[in-house]
């Protein structure tokens, strides 16, 4: 997986988090498959099509925090992730 400081695409735009579709019990094979990029200041009460209960790995950038909920529309239990 990339480090929190590595979350910068080629054009230099800041990225707060990346969620990955594929996971593995072997660390060097985690963070693979499709990638959902979360820019700074994003507010997504619903996951994009195909991502609901699909993300298996994530990396959160420095000076960012990602909050997720177990129900749609920001309902249910929440959990916060940071670098």
């Amino acid at each position: 997986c990339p480090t929190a400081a590595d979350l910068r695409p080629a054009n230099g735009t800041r990225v707060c988090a990346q969620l990955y579709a594929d996971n593995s019990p072997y660390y060097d094979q985690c963070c693979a498959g499709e990638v959902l990029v979360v820019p700074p200041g994003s507010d997504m009460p619903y996951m994009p099509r195909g991502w609901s209960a699909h993300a298996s790995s994530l990396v959160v950038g420095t000076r960012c925090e990602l909050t997720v909920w177990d129900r749609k529309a920001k309902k249910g239990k929440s959990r916060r992730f940071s670098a």
Side-chain angles (χ1 to χ4, degrees):
C1 294
T3 67
D6 290 338
L7 293 187
R8 289 186 184 271
N11 67 4
T13 304
R14 188 164 178 244
V15 173
C16 274
Q18 289 187 172
L19 287 73
Y20 298 89
D22 296 344
N23 195 5
S24 171
Y26 302 103
Y27 184 76
D28 62 338
Q29 296 175 16
C30 287
C31 299
E34 293 182 64
V35 178
L36 177 62
V37 175
V38 181
S42 294
D43 184 11
M44 300 163 80
Y46 299 92
M47 291 295 282
R49 181 177 290 281
W51 278 94
S52 182
H54 190 69
S56 62
S57 302
L58 64 89
V59 176
V60 178
T62 55
R63 296 178 299 163
C64 286
E65 184 174 85
L66 177 70
T67 304
V68 297
W69 287 264
D70 67 348
R71 304 244 186 248
K72 64 183 179 179
K74 299 182 181 178
K75 294 185 179 176
K77 294 181 182 180
S78 67
R79 182 162 179 190
R80 293 179 186 212
F81 298 91
S82 61

